[in-house]
Amino acid sequence: MLAQIALGLLCAGYTTGASLGWGSPETALFMGDFGLSAAALTAAISCYLYARAHRGSARPAWLLFAFSSFMAAAGNAVWGWYEVVLRTEVPDFSVANLFFLLFAPPAIVGLLVLAKKPANRAGWVCLALDTWLIGGSLLTLSWSLALARTAHVEGESVAGAALSLAYPLLDIVLVSMVLVLHFRRAQANRSATNTAIAALALTVLCDALFTSPLLRENYASGQLLDAGWFAGSLLLAYAPWGVRRLPDAAAAARGQGLHSRPVAGSLAALTPYLAAAVCTLGILYNVVEGRRVDRVVVLTGCAVVLALVVRQGIMLLDNIALTHELAHKENHFRSLVQGSSDVIMIAAPNGRLHYVSPAASGVYGRDADDLVGTELAALIHPDDLGAVVHEVRRFLAASPAEEPTTRIECRFRSGRGGEWLHVESTVNRHQGGLLFNSRDVTERVRLQAQLQHNAEHDPLTDLPNRALFTRRVRQALGGRRASDPGTAVLFIDLDGFKAVNDRLGHQAGDDLLVQAARRLHDSVRSGDTAARLGGDEFAALILGDGGRDRTARRNQVQEIADRLRLTLSRPYRLDGGQEVRVAASIGVAFAEPGIDAGDLLRNADLAMYRAKAAGKDRVELYAPQMQAEVVRRTELAARLRTALHDGEFALLHQPVVDLATGRIAAVSAQARWRSAQGILFTPAEYLRVTDDGERTAELGRWLLEEAVEQAAERAGIGHRTPVSIRLSARRLLDRSLPLGSVESLLTRHGLPSGSLIVELADSDPRIPLDELEQRLAALRRLGVRIALDGFGSGHVAVNALRRLPVDMLKLDRGLVEGVVESARLRKITRGVLRLAGDLGLRTVADGVDVPEQVVALRAMGCTHAQGMAFSGPLDEYRLRRALVRDEYPLPGAVPVPVGNRPPIGSHSETPVPPT
């Protein structure tokens, strides 16, 4: 904008000065000569600098414009040298005339460079003919009006006449190029090209006025005519720099829009005929004036007519070729449209179909002719019509250059039973209407829906999976239900499913899960959600009813949970006729203000684990203290990971007393964890908080090594009492406790044979008894004695007693705790002890805490016992004092000689149980 203002001010100032005569004749001469020279030199420098800075197809044109302007600057400078410096008249033939004559040819060639290049030879011929038609017509008209008189001025030399004619003839050629270029401009940098054309047109106009005999006789430098030359030079200097250039895409779109105008196309087509009309007017002017028609006019007119004829012949041949090519392309595209599997439809602006391709019969099941004339809105599903109309209106309002196409997907009425097809259409503008390229995507939509369903549902039970369940819980907690406290989440775990899976196989387990899922789905309301979270864990979302009585709602949800528990606990009949039972532990959590989906699911999960820990097959409601307990267990598990390395574990021993003599027959090694906070944890407490098998194995290795080392130290000072260590069968078979490590441990510490007792404490039915039997036999060969711990707790212990090489039985606490009060339990315990006696096995009763139990067990034939009735777990110092004393009082005991019964560690008379 600043450059345009400056340009306008300079031109206005020069025009004002020329109109007022510049104040003095000397100033007028200086501004009329050197002022024009400076302006032309500015244009030359500007075009040259632009050509150096910008490389492209237009660069030669700007270099030619620079040279042309430099010639004008030189001509005006020479003219000023005569008038201003030498103060003489300019000669008729001077160097200035040469420079002025050299102005037009470079400009003409530059305009040719800027013109749009023809695509073939015929185009080049037509370009030359168009130039001649315009130039010839202008020459005919000019010659008839003025140039003939200039050529026949009496007394003027031939050189003078030629020079007088050279200026207008070159200007005619330049004007012809300007007119031709107006219809053949290239698309690149159109604004700069238009400005350059305007500058040259202004210069040519001033030249034409200057060559007029009437004006030339009265012309003097510094007059108003010089303002036109001055403005033309400055406009040419401004052209390459000051005009805003559009991006290539926008310029192409703008050019396309300009070429599409019918007015511009009509003028370009009428140019040759208008030129011929001008030529005819020149000849008619001579006839009307009664003059003799000049030979130049006749020859020029004949040349123009001949050029027009030749041009029409070329255009006729070109049109014939284009007609054949168009027919060929039309047949080609007709074949493509008719053979395409996509349906092509053309709709008028009012939505009525004007054309439908034959593919409609195969895609829509409707004949194309039947669809022509139909309203497009009548074929679209009513639920999709609003969105389609909105998208079409938005597309038509957008710019074609920015959004040439759009895509619409909707349901389209089919002719096959009136079903709705999913159709995807690419929409283009077409003569004020719309062009639809449509295809049937029903199968793709169904596949996407199936994939979406598979991604959100469990593949086995077809219930919603965890992701979909979480999203529905999130939706239930938002929107209008955000403040409803009656919404609840139930977490359900099938108790005993793992045993069914292991005993009957995964196929039976899958069948059970499918039946459980069906029961769960049938038990919830239609608006609620039942889901499978994974494994044997299920969940249910119970939506609130909007009521404010929280107590009634909690009771109602708990009743639903109890009903679900009973439903899921009914027997299942699997494939093959087998009937199995599982129970259900259910945790319930209610929505609260501000709670999110993750916290609500976590609360229900905590309540479910509380139900399992409390005995399974029950319903537990979430309470805030559950989260505090989880935090405590997590912190305890984290501290447990470093407790062993920090020396926080200690080894205690509880005496095992011979019920016949009261002497200590063995000691049972037990680990205790005294945390840094001073809290003493038993194994049942600290092992319950961790599921880290590696940490449990590390603790077992520490217990074994520490117990053997301390037992060896006691044996060194004369206390050869055996030590018993409780190990699980799974740990005995674990690779982390190889057989050689036990042997090397006994050898390294020099522990005598028979001084180590391993209490087998695992009753997992999945443990392979053959492998376990081989491992225990190898340990017995090392002098290690085997005790079967927890005997009497189930059928697995009896099976292990039949298969495994054991030396003693350790009664389960359940057989000891009620032995005094329950006559039925006394019979069971007496039977177990009699079985052990028949097999020649020593028996140890664990958990003997009161004297009455000691009396009852000894009367039944139990040989050994440990518990608070004698002593609790002792540290090393107190244990050695007890070993020195080596006797505990027995209630109601009769003294028995010490040598009558072998010690607990002797196996000289212990037979191997039958297999």
Side-chain angles (χ1 to χ4, degrees):
M1 183 62 69
L2 292 177
Q4 294 174 1
I5 293 174
L7 177 64
L9 292 176
L10 285 175
C11 294
Y14 194 96
T15 304
T16 303
S19 300
L20 300 177
W22 296 104
S24 64
E26 292 79 8
T27 305
L29 290 176
F30 182 85
M31 294 301 297
D33 296 331
F34 291 111
L36 292 182
S37 179
L41 185 61
T42 302
I45 295 174
S46 174
C47 293
Y48 176 74
L49 293 178
Y50 180 81
R52 285 195 59 183
H54 298 80
R55 297 184 179 275
S57 60
R59 185 188 183 198
W62 295 108
L63 289 175
L64 290 170
F65 291 154
F67 181 75
S68 176
S69 299
F70 183 74
M71 292 296 101
N76 284 297
V78 172
W79 199 283
W81 175 264
Y82 283 106
E83 288 190 336
V84 178
V85 178
L86 300 180
R87 297 183 180 276
T88 61
E89 291 186 3
V90 181
D92 292 337
F93 303 102
S94 66
V95 180
N97 298 112
L98 177 62
F99 286 139
F100 286 141
L101 290 175
L102 291 177
F103 166 79
I108 294 172
V109 178
L111 290 175
L112 283 174
V113 173
L114 288 179
K116 185 178 180 181
K117 304 300 184 299
N120 48 35
R121 293 181 180 179
W124 283 106
V125 174
C126 289
L127 176 62
L129 292 175
D130 289 343
T131 305
W132 165 245
L133 286 172
I134 296 174
S137 61
L138 293 178
L139 177 60
T140 303
L141 185 61
S142 301
W143 192 278
S144 300
L145 295 177
L147 295 183
R149 300 176 184 178
T150 302
H152 294 89
V153 174
E154 296 181 359
E156 188 174 9
S157 63
V158 177
L163 185 61
S164 300
L165 291 175
Y167 288 114
L169 291 178
L170 288 175
D171 288 338
I172 288 174
V173 175
L174 192 57
V175 169
S176 302
M177 292 307 307
V178 168
L179 292 176
V180 171
L181 184 62
H182 175 72
F183 301 108
R184 292 181 176 270
R185 285 169 295 185
Q187 297 300 326
N189 207 356
R190 292 178 59 90
S191 299
T193 304
N194 290 337
T195 306
I197 291 175
L200 293 175
L202 183 58
T203 302
V204 169
L205 177 62
C206 294
D207 288 345
L209 293 175
F210 175 75
T211 55
S212 173
L214 180 62
L215 184 60
R216 188 172 183 180
E217 293 176 358
N218 301 321
Y219 171 77
S221 297
Q223 292 182 352
L224 190 60
L225 185 61
D226 291 347
W229 282 316
F230 183 84
S233 296
L234 291 186
L235 194 60
L236 185 60
Y238 169 78
W241 301 99
V243 181
R244 180 176 61 89
R245 280 167 294 278
L246 299 174
D248 295 339
R254 181 178 177 183
Q256 182 180 0
L258 290 174
H259 279 288
S260 63
R261 296 177 185 175
V263 175
S266 301
L267 288 176
L270 291 176
T271 300
Y273 305 101
L274 293 176
V278 171
C279 182
T280 304
L281 288 176
I283 298 175
L284 289 177
Y285 176 79
N286 286 333
V287 174
V288 172
E289 290 292 327
R291 302 174 185 173
R292 183 176 60 85
V293 179
D294 194 280
R295 287 178 295 177
V296 174
V297 174
V298 174
L299 292 175
T300 305
C302 292
V304 169
V305 172
L306 180 61
L308 181 61
V309 172
V310 172
R311 188 183 188 282
Q312 287 302 108
I314 294 175
M315 294 302 297
L316 179 60
L317 295 176
D318 194 26
N319 287 337
I320 293 175
L322 289 176
T323 301
H324 287 293
E325 184 179 357
L326 182 61
H328 175 72
K329 289 184 177 180
E330 184 179 356
N331 293 331
H332 177 69
F333 282 110
R334 183 181 291 109
S335 300
L336 290 178
V337 170
Q338 294 180 352
S340 174
S341 59
D342 293 350
V343 180
I344 299 175
M345 302 182 296
I346 299 177
N350 60 3
R352 190 176 298 276
L353 295 176
H354 282 182
Y355 173 79
V356 179
S357 67
S361 59
V363 176
Y364 299 147
R366 307 179 66 173
D367 191 70
D369 295 335
D370 295 339
L371 292 175
V372 174
T374 306
E375 291 285 345
L376 188 61
L379 303 174
I380 299 176
H381 195 283
D383 295 342
D384 301 339
L385 183 58
V388 172
V389 172
H390 174 76
E391 176 61 20
V392 168
R393 290 177 177 174
R394 185 203 63 79
F395 172 65
L396 293 177
S399 171
E402 296 178 357
E403 191 174 4
T405 64
T406 188
R407 190 177 67 86
I408 294 176
E409 187 169 335
C410 63
R411 283 168 289 180
F412 202 87
R413 187 186 300 276
S414 170
R416 307 182 187 95
E419 64 174 329
W420 294 97
L421 302 177
H422 290 269
V423 175
E424 180 185 68
S425 301
T426 302
V427 185
N428 294 270
R429 298 171 180 84
H430 178 75
Q431 297 179 357
L434 294 173
L435 174 66
F436 292 84
N437 189 353
S438 307
R439 63 202 61 87
D440 182 11
V441 294
T442 305
E443 289 302 321
R444 190 195 71 185
V445 172
R446 290 174 181 171
L447 179 60
Q448 289 176 343
Q450 184 63 42
L451 292 176
Q452 182 70 21
H453 179 85
N454 294 343
E456 295 178 341
H457 290 76
D458 175 57
L460 178 63
T461 62
D462 203 40
L463 290 179
N465 59 14
R466 183 182 294 271
L468 180 57
F469 183 77
T470 304
R471 185 162 69 250
R472 291 188 178 177
V473 172
R474 191 178 296 113
Q475 293 172 354
L477 297 180
R480 62 183 181 86
R481 297 184 180 274
S483 59
D484 190 350
T487 299
V489 170
L490 280 61
F491 263 44
I492 306 163
D493 184 86
L494 299 182
D495 304 320
F497 170 76
K498 194 171 185 298
V500 174
N501 215 20
D502 294 337
R503 182 164 53 90
L504 302 179
H506 292 284
Q507 185 63 39
D510 291 346
D511 188 15
L512 190 151
L513 291 176
V514 171
Q515 294 186 40
R518 189 179 303 115
R519 294 183 186 182
L520 178 61
H521 180 269
D522 295 340
S523 300
V524 299
R525 301 172 303 180
S526 59
D528 299 334
T529 300
R532 182 191 178 202
L533 305 183
D536 60 341
E537 291 188 356
F538 295 85
L541 171 63
I542 309 298
L543 298 178
D545 54 5
R548 295 298 175 182
D549 190 347
R550 305 185 69 173
T551 302
R553 180 60 178 167
R554 293 173 73 90
N555 294 335
Q556 181 185 5
V557 172
Q558 187 165 8
E559 181 181 349
I560 293 174
D562 284 327
R563 188 170 64 251
L564 281 176
R565 181 183 61 82
L566 294 175
T567 300
L568 295 174
S569 300
R570 294 201 311 267
Y572 295 84
R573 184 167 296 278
L574 307 179
D575 291 341
Q578 290 180 310
E579 186 176 282
V580 297
R581 288 178 178 269
V582 294
S585 297
I586 302 178
V588 182
F590 288 89
E592 299 176 357
I595 195 171
D596 59 13
D599 292 338
L600 183 59
L601 295 177
R602 181 206 60 199
N603 294 346
D605 197 20
L606 291 176
M608 184 267 289
Y609 277 106
R610 171 59 66 89
K612 293 180 72 66
K616 302 180 181 180
D617 193 17
R618 57 186 295 133
V619 176
E620 285 286 344
L621 302 183
Y622 171 77
Q625 57 267 26
M626 294 182 183
Q627 178 62 23
E629 181 180 350
V630 170
V631 173
R632 174 182 172 275
R633 292 178 60 184
T634 303
E635 294 176 351
L636 189 62
R639 294 202 303 268
L640 180 61
R641 294 187 181 97
T642 59
L644 189 60
H645 299 286
D646 294 342
E648 297 182 6
F649 274 90
L651 190 64
L652 303 181
H653 294 84
Q654 188 174 28
V656 178
V657 178
D658 189 331
L659 294 182
T661 63
R663 299 188 62 182
I664 299 175
V667 291
S668 176
Q670 303 173 9
R672 292 292 186 272
W673 174 29
R674 186 178 297 278
S675 69
Q677 289 75 24
I679 304 175
L680 188 66
F681 297 99
T682 64
E685 292 173 320
Y686 61 71
L687 291 179
R688 189 171 61 247
V689 303
T690 178
D691 295 327
D692 190 349
E694 182 180 354
R695 197 68 54 199
T696 305
E698 185 179 2
L699 182 60
R701 290 192 295 270
W702 174 85
L703 176 63
L704 178 61
E705 293 180 2
E706 195 74 12
V708 170
E709 182 179 359
Q710 293 187 16
E713 292 178 359
R714 292 192 296 270
I717 60 175
H719 301 299
R720 301 172 64 88
T721 307
V723 59
S724 64
I725 301 172
R726 193 171 185 267
L727 293 176
S728 67
R730 186 177 299 278
R731 185 61 55 197
L732 281 174
L733 297 177
D734 195 352
R735 300 283 184 182
S736 63
L737 188 64
L739 179 61
S741 64
V742 177
E743 182 178 15
S744 61
L745 184 65
L746 298 176
T747 304
R748 183 170 69 250
H749 294 288
L751 192 65
S753 177
S755 297
L756 178 62
I757 303 172
V758 173
E759 298 177 1
L760 192 62
D762 203 332
S763 58
D764 192 338
R766 293 171 296 176
I767 296 296
L769 292 181
D770 293 338
E771 186 176 350
L772 181 60
E773 181 181 2
Q774 296 176 6
R775 184 63 194 275
L776 294 179
L779 288 175
R780 294 186 78 233
R781 287 193 294 269
L782 296 176
V784 178
R785 303 298 94 190
I786 308 299
L788 192 59
D789 188 25
F791 187 79
S793 61
H795 72 282
V796 178
V798 176
N799 190 34
L801 182 62
R802 183 179 66 86
R803 297 284 305 277
L804 302 179
V806 297
D807 302 293
M808 61 189 70
L809 297 181
K810 196 167 186 178
L811 301 185
D812 185 71
R813 282 177 172 267
L815 298 177
V816 176
E817 290 175 350
V819 71
V820 177
E821 296 83 4
S822 174
R824 184 182 183 86
L825 186 59
R826 283 197 299 272
K827 293 180 180 179
I828 296 174
T829 304
R830 183 178 293 108
V832 172
L833 293 173
R834 185 180 301 113
L835 174 64
D838 294 341
L839 296 175
L841 302 179
R842 303 302 181 191
T843 54
V844 179
D846 189 15
V848 181
D849 297 331
V850 295
E852 291 80 5
Q853 294 173 341
V854 176
V855 175
L857 290 170
R858 186 176 58 195
M860 296 177 190
C862 184
T863 59
H864 299 81
Q866 70 179 78
M868 298 303 296
F870 303 105
S871 172
L874 305 174
D875 58 20
E876 187 65 20
Y877 173 73
R878 290 182 174 84
L879 175 61
R880 293 188 180 185
R881 291 184 57 185
L883 291 175
V884 170
R885 189 174 61 251
D886 194 21
E887 188 175 0
Y888 285 97
L890 297 173
V894 177
V896 178
V898 176
N900 286 353
R901 303 187 66 169
I904 197 170
S906 175
H907 302 279
S908 56
E909 298 179 0
T910 301
V912 176
T915 58

